[in-house]
Amino acid sequence: RKAAGKPGWQEAESLRRTLASLATRMQSPHAPAAGRVLELGCGAGDLSLWLAEAGFDVHGVDLSPTAIAWAQEKAAQRGVAAHFSVGSVLELAGVASSSVDLVLDGYCFHCIIGADRARFLASARRVLKPGGVLHVATMCGDVTSPLIRSRTDPNTRCVLDETGAATRYLGDPEAILGELREAGLRVLSSRIQPRVDPRTDMDELFVWAVRED
């Protein structure tokens, strides 16, 4: 994607909309005004860099060394003091417990499948400070896109790749909220953003949740 001139994991217009959405969501009364942010599944670093430029102390984690190298390159080019590291969002090795004010799900949670979803949330909860918040942005709801429907198992609600491996979980919004509550997170607010184009897109669920002690 970099060689093709793409800005990151998204197309330019899609990224513009995502950053505008993040700017709006960060105006929530549940969002911290400052502090340490950990983005899970940061990809090429675009959301993390936006938050760093807004004054947050930001660390992004992604499983892909290529993504992290790209994010680090962007940070250096823009003179932004954001930190990026290769790692598993299921473990967050090296991130101290109770050390983060905001854990940001950078559209990663819908890529986590099955029992790993509970591990994802447990790790997020572990690193949050008491009273720290998790912000989830995840695809959800019924599939209206013919292309996505052709690749989706209706029983598991998972999108499958050409080998049959699950790559996305398109959960029911209430089921996703239930996962957060089971992980010891209290839901502060939730909102469904309707899809832009029913032929290609999915609804998005935005959630603010706080660590319960």
Side-chain angles (χ1 to χ4, degrees):
R1 292 188 64 82
K2 181 181 177 185
K6 306 294 185 182
W9 264 223
Q10 295 179 281
E11 301 298 320
E13 178 57 23
S14 174
L15 176 58
R16 185 197 65 77
R17 292 198 304 266
T18 296
L19 291 175
S21 171
L22 179 62
T24 298
R25 285 179 275 134
M26 287 300 293
Q27 295 175 16
S28 166
H30 306 306
R36 190 177 187 209
V37 177
L38 176 67
E39 183 187 359
L40 306 183
C42 64
D46 296 295
L47 303 189
S48 285
L49 291 171
W50 185 92
L51 288 165
E53 289 174 335
F56 290 91
D57 174 16
V58 181
H59 190 117
V61 176
D62 199 283
L63 194 63
S64 167
T66 302
I68 293 301
W70 195 357
Q72 290 171 335
E73 180 181 317
K74 287 183 178 182
Q77 289 173 341
R78 290 160 61 169
V80 176
H83 307 280
F84 298 98
S85 62
V86 178
S88 168
V89 297
L90 306 183
E91 300 169 0
L92 298 179
V95 182
S97 298
S98 304
S99 65
V100 177
D101 297 286
L102 167 63
V103 171
L104 175 67
D105 160 39
Y107 294 94
C108 180
F109 193 33
H110 55 229
C111 299
I112 306 299
I113 308 299
D116 283 345
R117 292 174 65 80
R119 294 178 62 197
F120 177 98
L121 293 175
S123 289
R125 184 188 182 283
R126 176 184 67 79
V127 301
L128 281 173
K129 296 177 180 178
V133 290
L134 167 68
H135 182 49
V136 170
T138 186
M139 293 190 294
C140 70
D142 296 329
V143 179
T144 56
S145 162
L147 177 60
I148 300 175
R149 186 186 299 119
S150 69
R151 299 175 178 175
T152 302
D153 179 346
N155 296 316
T156 62
R157 301 186 68 116
C158 288
V159 181
L160 310 178
D161 68 11
E162 61 277 4
T163 70
T167 62
R168 301 286 187 278
Y169 171 66
L170 309 177
D172 175 81
E174 284 302 319
I176 296 170
L177 294 176
E179 291 180 283
L180 270 67
R181 295 184 182 108
E182 289 176 9
L185 296 158
R186 177 165 56 88
V187 174
L188 298 171
S189 68
S190 64
R191 176 174 67 87
I192 296 174
Q193 177 66 41
R195 59 202 74 194
V196 175
D197 186 343
R199 298 167 300 175
T200 58
D201 296 333
M202 293 291 301
D203 288 346
E204 295 178 351
L205 176 65
F206 299 136
V207 186
W208 290 98
V210 64
R211 172 180 162 178
E212 289 273 58
D213 288 315

